[in-house]
Each structure stands twice: as C-alpha cells, then as structure tokens.
Amino acid sequence: MSSSSSTTVVGVELGARRYDVHIGTFVPPAIAETLAAALGPDVTGVAVLVDGDLGKRSPRVAPLVEALQARLPRVNRYDLPGGEASKTLDEIGRTTQWLAEQGYDRRAAVIGIGGGATGDHSGFAAAVYLRGVRFALCPTTLLAMVDASVGGKTAVDLPAGKNLVGAFHQPRAVVADLGFLETLPAREQTAGLAEVVKCGFIADPSLLAIFAAHPGGRLGLDAIAALVAGAVRVKADVVAEDEHEGGRRAILNFGHTIGHALEAESAYALLHGEAVSLGMIAALSLGEARGITPPAVAMLARAMLADVGLPVDLEGRVTPAVMARVGVDKKRAGKKVRFVLCAAAGDTRLVDVGLDELTAHFLPSGA
C-alpha cells in the first residue's frame, strides 16, 4: 500500500446525538484524544472490547489500548472470541457479566476494537448493559469501516439466522484507522469491497468510477481512503434521513436478503462481503425477471464484483435451506420479503416480493 497523510471527517447528523467518523492513518494518542473528547469529561470508566484474533495478529492493538489507558479513567481490556463467534447471546451474557464485575456504572463507556462482529457485539452490549451506556468504535477491517461501524445498528445472531436480536444504539464517535488494513488478510479486504460496490449502485456512482480507474482491485491507500470516505458519506446521509429503517434506510440492504441467508447457511464460512456480493447478484437477477433491472446494469455489477475478486456465481448456492432462512429474515412481513432492486446505478426500488415468487425464481425445479 502506498502511504496517505490525509484525514477525512464525516458527520452523522442526528441532532443532539450527531457524531463524527474520522478516517485516516492515526497514532494511538491521537485516537485516544479523539475518543476521550467524544465520550465526554464525565465518563467514569472505559471497557475496551477487542477482537481476540486481532489482538494476536496486529501490533497496533496493544499501543492503542495503552494510549486509552493513559488518557481515560479505569480502562480495562476484555478480549472477545474472534469474528462471528462473538455474536451470540451467550457471549453478550459473558461480556455484560464482566462489565458488572468490573463495577462499571451508567456513566461508563464501551470501546470496540475489531471488525464488524466486534462492533456489533460492543454496540449491543453497550445498548443493553444498565439499559444503555455510551460507546465508540475503532473498526479495523474494511468492511467494518464502510458499513458496520456507522449507523447504530447492533445485533447478534441466533441459530435461525443472522442479526435477529439487536438494538439501535448510536456510537459517540468512530475512528477508522487505515493503518489496521496493512495486517488485514487479503480475503477480508476483498470482502469489504462488496459494501463499497453496494454504495456505488444504491447512491453514489462516483465510487464505481474509482473501481474502474483501478482494474483488478489494485487499490493504493489513497484509493482505499477515498472509497471508505465515499461509502461512509452514503451511509451517513441515509441514516440521518432514516435512523430506524422506516423508509429510505432500507436501500442499504441491497444484496443482504439472500446474502444473509447464504452467510448463515454456510455456518459463516462465507465472509459477509462475499455473501453480500452473491446477494447483489441474486437481487439483480430478480430485478431483471421483474423488468426493473436492465441486463446492462446486471452485467456491469457482475463484472465489477468479479474484477475485485468477489464471488458472483450463484449456481447451486440458493438451496431450499437457504430459502427457508429467507423466510425468517428480519425484512419479512407476512408472506412477503422486502427486496432492494436496482434500476440503474443510484436508482433503487423497494419491492415486497412473495415467498412463492422467490421460490419459483430461485428454485424453478422445486429442488
């Protein structure tokens, strides 16, 4: 990766609960200072929840925790299971029990350091502990930086499906330190690009132009920084308009309806971004069948996703078991599931699709 010294701040405008997303490469004391200012001078203690796998892999974690300890009161570190393994009610129980044992009160705060799963766990634990304490996030994966850390949707999984238990709980600040991406496995970095491509198709086609200018996914840090900032702006704008997904925010689910089902049915062998890539292909296929998505749009999306190294072949993936998971998706209402269909880059439609139609489209043989 080439170096970049620029810093971008994107505001998530939610009135009295507005907060900033800081994007750049930062030294630990600067992150600690930013988070201390956001959490407020009256904070009585800070629980730092860290993705355990990240803590073993990245040399940036320990200095960051030390900087937080030097700047904030009663900072204690708690390592979570790595990745999706942290997103269970049992793990939330363990974390909140630890918070109680540490004596954290209602003016304490939680800081999550890790990928999207760690952010979801940290935010949900903060939402339910003592009926809600403040929290902040340091996302360390590309996927978390562009998606999971922004917007206040926190959740854990159930055996029946992904993100079925959760709460809306907005952070006080997000610091996306691009330096963490240097130790990110290539597969995880590629997976994170799916959410950026999604933002390009639902709201900001200029993001697609950045990909076009860097064929083969050969993205330097400056390009990554621009993509992260652009995707965060898309999400911040949508969340500011529709915080609780009562309307426009649903467009952020492009690719997620089938994607979440594929991800859960794979027992999370598929990374979230990989599943979303396949979910976008599925939604585009459905849009074509309904006459909403022009074939050229579907072809562009397929080519762009494949070019950066994301999976695009649905053959044999949408099974009856996957369709059964779609039937318990959060976006289901009665016998219909809300899909985000794409008419053009930047032009989406929210469509309620019957489960019978979905089955006929994706399982035409009745297999």
Side-chain angles (χ1 to χ4, degrees), residues 174-331:
V174 177
V175 179
D177 178 9
L178 301 178
F180 274 104
L181 300 182
E182 295 175 358
T183 59
L184 191 67
R187 183 186 172 199
E188 288 190 28
Q189 182 152 312
T190 297
L193 295 174
E195 292 283 357
V196 185
V197 174
K198 177 198 79 174
C199 287
F201 275 95
I202 65 171
D204 185 2
S206 71
L207 295 174
L208 306 181
I210 298 176
F211 284 111
H214 298 81
R218 293 185 290 273
L219 299 160
L221 190 57
D222 285 336
I224 290 288
L227 289 171
V228 171
V232 169
R233 286 190 189 98
V234 168
K235 191 159 190 184
D237 288 347
V238 172
V239 169
E241 180 180 328
D242 177 20
E243 181 180 359
H244 295 119
E245 205 171 284
R248 185 171 179 243
R249 184 168 179 169
I251 68 172
L252 297 172
N253 290 323
F254 179 48
H256 285 60
T257 306
I258 295 291
H260 275 170
L262 289 167
E263 185 181 3
E265 187 58 26
S266 77
Y268 304 100
L270 274 177
L271 298 179
H272 178 70
E274 294 168 339
V276 167
S277 177
L278 292 166
M280 286 190 280
I281 296 297
L284 291 161
S285 169
L286 185 62
E288 280 192 88
R290 278 184 156 241
I292 292 173
T293 303
V297 172
M299 289 176 61
L300 173 63
R302 176 182 286 270
M304 187 159 286
L305 291 166
D307 185 60
V308 299
L310 287 161
V312 295
D313 187 4
L314 274 177
E315 184 70 29
R317 289 186 181 270
V318 183
T319 63
V322 169
M323 290 306 301
R325 289 186 180 274
V326 172
V328 295
D329 188 272
K330 301 186 301 301
K331 296 172 285 298

Side-chain angles (χ1 to χ4, degrees), residues 11 27 35-36 45-46 86 104 116 181 194 214 223 246 262 273 293-294 344:
V27 295
L35 294 182
V46 178
S86 70
Y104 286 122
L181 300 182
H214 298 81
L262 289 167
T293 303

Side-chain angles (χ1 to χ4, degrees), residues 6 13 42 44 53 60 70 98 122 198 238 269 273 320 335 338:
S6 62
E13 302 299 337
D42 64 334
T44 56
D53 290 346
R60 300 181 80 87
W98 177 82
S122 301
K198 177 198 79 174
V238 172
K335 294 186 177 181
R338 176 152 292 185

Side-chain angles (χ1 to χ4, degrees), residues 343-360:
D347 182 3
T348 55
R349 314 287 167 82
L350 300 178
V351 179
D352 293 328
V353 183
L355 293 172
D356 289 344
E357 179 183 345
L358 292 176
T359 300

Side-chain angles (χ1 to χ4, degrees), residues 90-165:
D90 284 346
E91 290 299 333
I92 290 293
R94 279 187 270 273
T95 296
T96 50
Q97 175 65 26
W98 177 82
L99 292 171
E101 290 170 354
Q102 298 300 310
Y104 286 122
D105 60 28
R106 296 187 75 176
R107 288 192 292 151
V110 170
I111 295 174
I113 303 175
T118 298
D120 267 4
H121 180 109
S122 301
F124 187 51
V128 297
Y129 181 65
L130 301 180
R131 298 191 179 93
V133 297
R134 66 195 87 177
F135 83 108
L137 291 172
C138 293
T140 62
T141 67
L142 184 58
L143 181 64
M145 291 177 186
V146 301
D147 183 49
S149 65
V150 182
K153 285 173 71 172
T154 72
V156 295
D157 308 327
L158 295 179
K162 185 177 172 69
N163 293 339
L164 294 183
V165 179

